[in-house]
Amino acid sequence: MGRAAVGSHAMRAVFLFPVFSILLLAHNAFSFYLPGVAPQDFQKGDALNVKVNKLTSIKTQLPYTYYSLPHCHPNKIVDSSENLGEVLRGDRIENSPYVFKMREPQVCNVVCRVTLDAKKAKAFKEKIEDEYRVNMILDNLPLVVPIPRSEQEGPPIYQLGHHVGLKGQYAGSKDEKYFIYNHLSFTVKFHKDELTDSARIVGFEVVPFSVKHEYDGKWNENAHLTTCDSQAKRTVSSSNSPQEVDDKQEIIFTYDVAFQESEVKWASRWDTYLLMTDDQIHWFSIVNSLMIVLFLSGMVAMIMLRTLYRDISKYNELETQEEAQEETGWKLVHTDVFRPPSNSDLLCVYVGTGVQFLGMMLVTMVFAVLGFLSPSNRGGLMTAMLFLWVVMGLFAGYSAARLYKMFKGTEWKKIALQTAFVFPGLVFGVFFVLNALIWGQRSSGAVPFGTMFALVLLWFGISVPLIVVGSYVGFKKPAIENPVKTNKIPRQIPEQPWYMNPIISMLIGGILPFGAVFIELFFILTSIWLNQFYYIFGFLFIVFVILIITCAEITIVLCYFQLCSEDYLWWWRSYLTSGSSALYLFLYATFYFFTKLEITKPVSGALYFGYMLIASYAFFVLTGTIGFYACFIFTRLIYSSVKID
């Protein structure tokens, strides 16, 4: 009884302590971040260089460069240096013809005049039809459009980037026309240092207008616009006639710049961008998940107490015959429970890959919670994940080789190469096909050849050698000894009840892990596919810990029921039980596609399902490995703690 109680209490403490510790720190965890770049002070009159980024659309998911449209451009277009994550995200940051001077307002500055032909008009119309947005950057802050809330109180909602244009109708006409936003009214918010008179930029907003500009006489560089006047301080308003997009239309691009002093300090300038109004929903998600964890923890504790206690006191005279039959079920298979499974090599490969994923996710989230992967460092999160994936190859090789040696395997090099190529090879193949589709659309989201070569170099030059080294070290370690001996002749498995069918138990096992994360999954999908910020990594870290606990506990519960039914083929089933949550993830992604997204183009649909297939596959490997190790530890614990006759 003593050993059983100590074991069960220790298990519960190990499972639940991280959850409650993180809950205590959650408030600080999701509200703290590091800005990521050093602040820059500007004196009055200093030049502020606006940069342009990709054109994005939530309808097509295909980014394009800003100058893929016939926008005004500077004398020489200069690309900014980008990290690996930015390139993979499709970011293409370039200079622009917009030049501001700090704290010097400008009214109705003319950028350029463009006369459309049929080809240019078609390009603008296509982007307006697909609701593309123009993204710009000033002092590393993205351009946003403030949208007032329906209720009067509270700060506005910020939309990333402004639309290229809009569709509409003239009064009294039923014909739908395309109009372009050719006048941009910028507002630069700054925080002033009273001692030095310098200022730091803390906000970058715009209100776009469509205006059919008019001027006196023939057009030249000094032509005087009658629709807005910088000298008379007459600005553009929504009452102006809009600028239509059509063949032979003349478009004059203009902009205003206003400067507004703000109490927001530079270190807090991202707070308005990251302001989340749905904290209650996230807390509901956490509480919902914790209820699942507590329920499963109770079941696991009950199983551990009953199993170990009854086995130790099996000869107790108070024990009934029915109880004896119930408790001896799992003991009857002690000579077969550690028999190597079929396709044991593949199981070792997937377990090793899962360890690689688990290590990458844990370290990434720790850094994100501590604030080192702030949104000001565009592409930083993806770059960090790729780097950590490569480094964690060492642990993947080690884990796969250790398990392989326990299964009496002898060719450690073969298992190392399979670990290095099976999962990454499948993912890279799907990624390559999707990239070819993007390339065919001439989108900036297509990964260039140089970046593709860098990815292959990371894979073959760093990841593969680390996996080989890890496998060598793991194989040199003494083999893991099983707590009980295995017979040469396998025991016949009795006929199982319908509810112990592998498919049914796997489907049941995947529901609870998915239920623990599906609310947070909604916000993650929204940030990825609807072009919104996601930076509540404190919540995500808590949910991830709950996911680990849920996967472990549901697998232990179902593994115990399986062993009690004298079915000792638990190796693969333990992996597939929790791994089946990936099926629910993909089904939810499909539901999200048809209910929340407005994607109509086949290529965009293929991209969505292709990338979600990769994500679901990765989730399968991750959750399956967690479930496998939980069941592995559980079976070793019960068969080593109890004397088997």
Side-chain angles (χ1 to χ4, degrees):
M1 174 67 175
R3 294 176 65 186
V6 171
S8 64
H9 289 312
M11 173 173 285
R12 293 185 66 186
V14 169
F15 280 156
L16 298 178
F17 177 74
V19 178
F20 293 114
S21 300
I22 294 166
L23 279 173
L24 292 174
L25 299 172
H27 177 74
N28 291 330
F30 66 76
S31 62
F32 172 74
Y33 69 93
L34 300 177
V37 293
Q40 187 171 357
D41 295 317
F42 297 95
Q43 299 293 333
K44 186 175 181 180
D46 286 352
L48 305 177
N49 295 318
V50 178
K51 295 182 179 181
V52 292
N53 200 349
K54 59 188 176 183
L55 305 173
T56 57
S57 168
I58 60 175
K59 292 186 68 174
T60 69
Q61 305 297 333
L62 293 169
Y64 288 89
T65 60
Y66 177 80
Y67 295 112
S68 63
L69 289 178
H71 284 125
C72 302
H73 56 79
N75 295 330
K76 182 180 180 182
I77 298 175
V78 180
D79 293 330
S80 298
S81 58
E82 295 161 343
N83 58 42
L84 181 60
E86 285 179 302
V87 176
L88 293 176
R89 279 162 36 102
D91 286 345
R92 298 296 182 268
I93 302 172
E94 299 160 310
N95 61 332
S96 79
Y98 299 96
V99 179
F100 307 163
K101 290 188 177 180
M102 188 64 178
R103 292 155 60 192
E104 292 185 2
Q106 303 175 42
V107 177
C108 205
N109 267 15
V110 176
V111 187
C112 74
R113 182 182 71 117
V114 176
T115 301
L116 300 181
D117 55 24
K119 184 178 180 181
K120 293 178 180 178
K122 181 183 178 183
F124 272 123
K125 287 180 179 180
E126 288 177 347
K127 295 298 185 288
I128 294 172
E129 178 72 35
D130 291 330
E131 299 180 8
Y132 270 85
R133 298 179 190 174
V134 175
N135 293 282
M136 297 184 182
I137 301 168
L138 176 64
D139 191 36
N140 211 39
L141 275 180
L143 179 71
V144 292
V145 177
I147 302 174
R149 297 178 185 270
S150 55
E151 63 273 13
Q152 298 300 318
E153 297 180 0
I157 300 171
Y158 290 105
Q159 169 193 288
L160 274 177
H162 71 83
H163 285 99
V164 173
L166 76 162
K167 292 194 298 182
Q169 299 168 337
Y170 289 112
S173 173
K174 294 184 179 180
D175 295 334
E176 201 165 44
K177 301 288 185 180
Y178 293 86
F179 302 100
I180 188 172
Y181 286 130
N182 60 321
H183 179 86
L184 303 177
S185 184
F186 294 104
T187 299
V188 178
K189 294 184 177 180
F190 64 93
H191 182 78
K192 186 178 178 183
D193 188 331
E194 299 297 338
L195 297 177
T196 62
D197 199 44
S198 63
R200 294 176 178 176
I201 296 173
V202 295
F204 185 33
E205 301 176 1
V206 69
V207 177
F209 295 93
S210 180
V211 182
K212 185 173 179 59
H213 283 300
E214 298 175 357
Y215 51 90
D216 297 326
K218 292 186 177 181
W219 174 261
N220 58 59
E221 293 181 359
N222 300 317
H224 176 70
L225 295 178
T226 58
T227 41
C228 65
D229 190 345
S230 58
Q231 295 179 353
K233 305 295 183 184
R234 187 169 73 248
T235 58
V236 168
S237 69
S238 56
S239 61
N240 291 88
S241 299
Q243 175 61 60
E244 188 178 336
V245 176
D246 214 341
D247 187 19
K248 298 180 181 178
Q249 283 282 344
E250 177 188 65
I251 302 177
I252 299 173
F253 289 90
T254 56
Y255 68 97
D256 301 332
V257 185
F259 289 87
Q260 180 181 329
E261 190 168 357
S262 173
E263 294 298 323
V264 177
K265 295 183 179 180
W266 184 88
S268 304
R269 64 179 187 166
W270 277 90
D271 288 356
T272 52
Y273 291 80
L274 307 177
L275 184 64
M276 300 299 296
T277 58
D278 40 27
D279 285 353
Q280 290 184 347
I281 298 176
H282 289 277
W283 281 117
F284 172 76
S285 170
I286 298 294
V287 173
N288 173 63
S289 302
L290 276 176
M291 291 301 102
I292 295 175
V293 168
L294 292 174
F295 170 72
L296 288 173
S297 296
M299 291 192 67
V300 171
M302 182 183 68
I303 289 171
M304 296 295 288
L305 282 168
R306 289 185 65 217
T307 302
L308 297 183
Y309 171 70
R310 289 189 176 186
D311 198 83
I312 291 171
S313 57
K314 60 179 288 187
Y315 298 113
N316 192 305
E317 60 184 2
L318 299 177
E319 189 179 55
T320 64
Q321 185 65 28
E322 290 77 10
E323 289 172 335
Q325 290 177 352
E326 179 186 354
E327 64 133 8
T328 53
W330 62 272
K331 288 192 299 180
L332 290 176
V333 296
H334 69 275
T335 56
D336 297 277
V337 73
F338 292 106
R339 186 180 304 280
S342 56
N343 299 315
S344 58
D345 289 9
L346 189 61
L347 180 62
C348 296
V349 168
Y350 272 98
V351 169
T353 305
V355 170
Q356 190 174 7
F357 250 112
L358 183 61
M360 178 196 74
M361 294 297 294
L362 282 174
V363 177
T364 300
M365 287 194 187
V366 168
F367 276 99
V369 168
L370 293 176
F372 291 105
L373 299 175
S374 72
S376 63
N377 181 16
R378 278 175 302 277
L381 180 64
M382 189 171 292
T383 304
M385 291 179 71
L386 282 172
F387 174 75
L388 288 170
W389 166 263
V390 169
V391 172
M392 290 296 166
L394 190 68
F395 299 97
Y398 180 85
S399 304
R402 289 282 284 157
L403 193 61
Y404 179 68
K405 190 171 184 178
M406 191 189 77
F407 290 149
K408 311 301 181 185
T410 56
E411 301 177 20
W412 69 270
K413 294 179 182 177
K414 181 185 75 172
I415 212 70
L417 292 178
Q418 287 180 350
T419 306
F421 290 105
V422 169
F423 178 84
L426 288 171
V427 171
F428 188 81
V430 175
F431 175 73
F432 187 83
V433 172
L434 295 177
N435 193 63
L437 292 176
I438 301 174
W439 193 277
Q441 297 294 312
R442 299 181 179 178
S443 167
S444 65
V447 178
F449 174 78
T451 305
M452 190 73 76
F453 179 76
L455 291 174
V456 174
L457 189 64
L458 281 173
W459 181 12
F460 284 85
I462 302 178
S463 180
V464 173
L466 284 177
I467 290 174
V468 171
V469 170
S471 299
Y472 175 78
V473 174
F475 197 77
K476 286 296 181 182
K477 291 277 186 179
I480 301 172
E481 295 292 335
N482 293 323
V484 289
K485 293 182 179 180
T486 302
N487 281 346
K488 292 183 178 180
I489 302 175
R491 176 188 177 90
Q492 184 176 357
I493 299 174
E495 185 177 350
Q496 300 293 302
W498 66 269
Y499 53 84
M500 290 306 298
N501 183 283
I503 295 178
I504 294 176
S505 64
M506 278 184 262
L507 291 177
I508 293 174
I511 290 176
L512 290 180
F514 173 75
V517 301
F518 86 96
I519 296 178
E520 206 62 33
L521 180 64
F522 170 81
F523 295 102
I524 295 173
L525 291 177
T526 300
S527 68
I528 294 173
W529 300 107
L530 294 182
N531 198 28
Q532 297 181 11
F533 283 119
Y534 183 90
Y535 202 65
I536 42 176
F537 289 108
F539 279 122
L540 184 61
F541 186 59
I542 296 171
V543 170
F544 185 67
V545 172
I546 292 174
L547 173 68
I548 294 174
I549 297 170
T550 308
C551 287
E553 293 183 341
I554 189 63
T555 308
I556 288 173
V557 169
L558 293 179
C559 182
Y560 173 72
F561 291 153
Q562 180 184 351
L563 293 176
C564 285
S565 298
E566 300 178 27
D567 182 356
Y568 53 83
L569 302 178
W570 63 270
W571 297 97
W572 271 110
R573 196 187 292 195
S574 65
Y575 196 99
L576 297 173
T577 294
S578 54
S580 64
S581 56
L583 173 63
Y584 295 99
L585 188 151
F586 189 77
L587 292 175
Y588 181 77
T590 305
F591 170 79
Y592 184 88
F593 178 85
F594 289 107
T595 58
K596 298 296 181 183
L597 301 182
E598 299 178 4
I599 294 175
T600 55
K601 294 188 177 181
V603 172
S604 302
L607 289 179
Y608 177 86
F609 284 105
Y611 284 128
M612 291 313 301
L613 186 64
I614 292 176
S616 301
Y617 186 31
F619 194 71
F620 164 74
V621 172
L622 173 67
T623 53
T625 299
I626 295 169
F628 170 82
Y629 272 117
C631 196
F632 180 67
I633 294 170
F634 171 74
T635 51
R636 291 181 61 82
L637 180 64
I638 62 174
Y639 283 101
S640 61
S641 298
V642 179
K643 182 180 179 182
I644 304 291
D645 292 338

